[in-house]
Amino acid sequence: MDKYTSRRAVMKAMLAISAAHWVLNSRAFASSSCRDHIVRLGGIAAPDTLNPFATWASWFPLVFSYDFLVSVDAQRHTNRKGFVKEWSVGDDNLTWTFKIWPGMKWSDGQPATARDAAFTYNYLLGSIGKPDELNVGHNSTTGMENVESIAAIDDETLQIVTKVPTRWPLDNYILIVPKHIWKDVSYADARSTFRNDPPLVGTGPMIVSELQQGQFARLTPNPHFRTGQPATAGMIFNFFNTADPIAQGLKSGSLDYGGYLTTAQWADLSKDPAIEVGESRIEQGNYLAFNTASGKGAGSTKALQDPAFRDAIGYAIDQKAIVDRAFRGRADPGVGLVPPVATDYYSDLKDIRRHFDLAEAGRRLDAAGYRDTNGDGIREDKDGESFQLELITGTVSGKLEIPIAAVQLIAGWLGQIGISVSVTQLEAGALTARTAAPGNWDLLVAAVWPSPTPADMLGWCSSKGIGNGNRAYWTNDKFDGLLSEVGRTVDLKKSKELVDQAARLVYTEAPYIMLCYPFVLEAHRKGCFEGWGTQGAISQWGYFPFDRLKPHNG
């Protein structure tokens, strides 16, 4: 997933040569998982390379093969540790000590030690400020400005010293790579041409042994995994553009697990006695973004750069209706940058929260100078020129699908207040390309999936996020200052205050209007494997449950 999908950044395309062929031949696969003990998964993703320094798009399958030092899952679950077994911070809140699993090995049998972790981080640190700085992939220099030093004290001890108190040593989600594979790769190659072809060498439970771009990834059990070789015979992760073939594969039995289902598919699958469905809150937020760029890449009207215009539009968006009608209740209504699942930081902003009121939206547009002076039902800008806004949308790799019904609701409401909107729906690659640099669009309905850390939940809106997470091209010095202070804060109470201030700033400036926080809707078949999670069959932040999934005894 991209950085702020952080998650992150899951799933695209076909298992065979076409969806039709795959579906027609699904009977041939229907019981194969029970026979060969290979887990077959399906999801919406488009991994483009297995090089974690060069892409945001390959979260899955990379998280099955590589470990984080700590990151999200290890802090939430005591039995989902990463590269290190335990950690501590000194009284100065600057010196962190991490104990590596003793005797751990890479999947090729080489020792996996603190020296590999130190290499990974110092490889990134050494690139800072250089023309080929490693800042374009999952493994990025972002957040490392507060690092003083990183060193292996011995094979089992890593020490990270920071310049200021920060939770970065725990929260970063840099994938630890083997020094013996990467030590001779130049920075220029690492951020571009080096593909890190399979079989990968990792410490995760499942190792990518084959990648057919746009089709599938094949993974095999790591014989040297620290808790023992996984009990299944491997995995096949099938990539799709939409959830339709995923639902069909679950029904036919050609898939054991499917994620990122639509509400209609999920409801239909819930009626099948052979299938267990689940839902869980995640960090994804779906938003309406305004192209706030000026000069090169500006939208079709300067109104997009006016906070008063954007705020007025906010009164024309009914988040509850979007949840009820487009998501059938399987989402939480949008408010601010922080999703409800991030309970330590979430606020409903009730004292400044807008309410859905088309008449109020109209009054605010009038007051801001955007009136319909000629009575044709279309408002003019402050120069008296009529304008029509183009709204572009699509589902990016690793994000839950955004129902077109949500976009249609927005276009309808804006039409009712005199804002004419045309809708263009793009496939993932085209949407990413069109929004990576400013130009030729006005409104965007898309999604972000950050990690639940304060720096990530805010970072995608920063000036440094422009061209990556910050699709609105919005800049605000006060916001950037708050984000910087968050990165230097370990005290939870202080961190909450800073996050709240930043969230309120974005809410009032309105470069983004949060529409909703969708639930992950997933399903798995009951017959072949046991060990799926009970609150989320699979983790969105790591390798679980593929270290412990096993063939069903029955």
Side-chain angles (χ1 to χ4, degrees), residues 68-259:
F68 307 111
L69 193 70
V70 180
S71 198
V72 177
D73 260 9
Q75 294 184 71
R76 288 179 173 174
H77 307 277
T78 58
N79 62 349
R80 300 186 192 180
K81 297 289 179 65
F83 199 80
V84 303
K85 184 178 182 180
E86 56 192 29
W87 58 88
S88 61
V89 62
D91 292 339
D92 60 0
N93 280 327
L94 301 176
T95 305
W96 294 78
T97 302
F98 299 88
K99 301 301 291 185
I100 311 301
W101 295 91
M104 186 165 60
K105 294 182 179 181
W106 294 100
S107 54
D108 63 358
Q110 294 290 313
T113 72
R115 304 184 197 285
D116 293 291
F119 165 79
T120 302
Y121 287 120
N122 285 314
Y123 186 60
L124 288 162
L125 278 171
S127 77
I128 292 177
K130 296 182 178 178
D132 295 313
E133 181 173 347
L134 300 174
N135 57 6
V136 295
H138 293 304
N139 283 11
S140 170
T141 57
T142 300
M144 301 190 83
E145 61 273 6
N146 292 322
V147 174
E148 181 67 38
S149 65
I150 300 178
I153 305 304
D154 55 43
D155 281 354
E156 294 180 9
T157 309
L158 179 76
Q159 183 183 82
I160 297 179
V161 180
T162 61
K163 299 174 183 176
V164 295
T166 173
R167 288 184 58 84
W168 179 88
L170 294 182
D171 292 341
N172 78 84
Y173 43 92
I174 290 167
L175 297 162
I176 306 301
V177 299
K179 180 179 179 179
H180 64 282
I181 299 295
W182 287 86
K183 62 184 176 64
D184 296 323
V185 180
S186 70
Y187 290 143
D189 288 344
R191 63 174 278 141
S192 57
T193 57
F194 183 66
R195 293 193 58 80
N196 196 29
D197 289 329
L200 299 186
V201 176
T203 52
M206 290 287 171
I207 302 300
V208 178
S209 58
E210 179 183 2
L211 175 67
Q212 294 296 328
Q213 195 168 334
Q215 297 182 46
F216 65 90
R218 188 183 303 275
L219 299 93
T220 55
N222 180 356
H224 301 290
F225 187 61
R226 53 188 168 269
T227 59
Q229 178 172 322
T232 65
M235 298 165 53
I236 297 175
F237 201 117
N238 305 293
F239 311 134
F240 299 96
N241 283 313
T242 71
D244 288 339
I246 299 173
Q248 294 168 7
L250 284 163
K251 278 189 170 184
S252 69
S254 54
L255 291 177
D256 301 296
Y257 170 89

Side-chain angles (χ1 to χ4, degrees), residues 5 32 60 91 95 147 164 253 302 304 308 343 363 431 436 478 537 554:
T5 58
S32 57
F60 291 107
D91 292 339
T95 305
V147 174
V164 295
K302 291 181 179 178
L304 298 166
T343 53
R363 285 191 292 270
L431 184 69
K478 182 178 179 181

Side-chain angles (χ1 to χ4, degrees), residues 37 154 160 285 309 318 367 385 418 467 512 544 546:
H37 299 164
D154 55 43
I160 297 179
F309 175 82
D318 187 345
E385 299 292 331
Y512 297 93
F544 176 85
F546 301 105

Side-chain angles (χ1 to χ4, degrees), residues 212-551:
Q212 294 296 328
Q213 195 168 334
Q215 297 182 46
F216 65 90
R218 188 183 303 275
L219 299 93
T220 55
N222 180 356
H224 301 290
F225 187 61
R226 53 188 168 269
T227 59
Q229 178 172 322
T232 65
M235 298 165 53
I236 297 175
F237 201 117
N238 305 293
F239 311 134
F240 299 96
N241 283 313
T242 71
D244 288 339
I246 299 173
Q248 294 168 7
L250 284 163
K251 278 189 170 184
S252 69
S254 54
L255 291 177
D256 301 296
Y257 170 89
Y260 297 18
L261 300 166
T262 68
T263 53
Q265 294 162 349
W266 185 83
D268 181 51
L269 291 169
S270 69
K271 302 170 186 175
D272 190 325
I275 293 174
E276 184 170 333
V277 300
E279 63 178 342
S280 56
R281 285 182 168 85
I282 55 169
E283 295 81 5
Q284 178 170 319
N286 297 348
Y287 59 73
L288 171 67
F290 298 82
N291 180 350
T292 69
S294 59
K296 182 181 179 181
S300 63
T301 172
K302 291 181 179 178
L304 298 166
Q305 303 167 34
D306 183 356
F309 175 82
R310 303 193 300 258
D311 175 66
I313 296 299
Y315 284 87
I317 306 298
D318 187 345
Q319 281 91 344
K320 187 176 186 304
I322 289 173
V323 167
D324 291 342
R325 295 164 63 181
F327 288 85
R328 300 190 185 185
R330 302 297 172 183
D332 290 315
V335 183
L337 296 183
V338 179
V341 72
T343 53
D344 283 341
Y345 298 95
Y346 177 72
S347 169
D348 63 8
L349 305 179
K350 60 183 178 182
D351 58 317
I352 61 170
R353 191 168 177 175
R354 305 179 192 94
H355 55 280
F356 176 63
D357 188 333
L358 294 176
E360 179 65 16
R363 285 191 292 270
R364 287 176 178 259
L365 287 170
D366 288 343
Y370 305 99
R371 300 182 177 90
D372 175 16
T373 58
N374 59 12
D376 66 354
I378 305 298
R379 293 179 182 271
E380 295 90 42
D381 63 20
K382 292 181 178 180
D383 297 323
E385 299 292 331
S386 297
F387 59 90
Q388 181 183 60
L389 302 181
E390 182 191 19
L391 188 161
I392 61 174
T393 189
T395 300
V396 176
S397 174
K399 309 295 193 304
L400 305 187
E401 191 172 336
I402 299 175
I404 193 63
V407 179
Q408 293 167 341
L409 286 170
I410 294 167
W413 291 322
L414 296 189
Q416 291 180 60
I417 60 171
I419 305 293
S420 180
V421 175
S422 64
V423 175
T424 301
Q425 192 168 16
L426 301 172
E427 62 89 24
L431 184 69
T432 299
R434 192 163 174 191
T435 57
N440 301 320
W441 63 272
D442 300 315
L443 304 175
L444 166 69
V445 171
V448 64
W449 192 338
S451 79
T453 64
D456 258 16
M457 290 187 292
L458 302 180
W460 64 278
C461 288
S462 71
S463 57
K464 288 185 178 180
I466 290 175
N468 181 18
N470 188 355
R471 305 297 187 186
Y473 323 122
W474 177 72
T475 60
N476 185 286
D477 290 341
K478 182 178 179 181
F479 181 89
D480 287 346
L482 289 167
L483 175 61
S484 178
E485 193 171 352
V486 164
R488 303 190 302 270
T489 303
V490 293
D491 179 73
L492 180 59
K493 182 179 178 182
K494 178 63 175 176
S495 185
K496 285 180 178 180
E497 293 172 355
L498 294 168
V499 170
D500 188 64
Q501 291 178 49
R504 288 169 179 272
L505 185 57
V506 171
Y507 193 88
T508 54
E509 287 273 319
Y512 297 93
I513 294 172
M514 300 308 296
L515 304 174
C516 67
Y517 315 102
F519 302 162
V520 163
L521 303 179
E522 58 186 355
H524 66 273
R525 295 190 66 84
K526 299 176 181 178
C528 297
F529 302 99
E530 57 186 38
W532 301 101
T534 55
Q535 293 183 340
I538 74 170
S539 170
Q540 303 300 321
W541 290 107
Y543 55 75
F544 176 85
F546 301 105
D547 61 326
R548 63 202 73 181
L549 206 65
K550 58 185 180 181

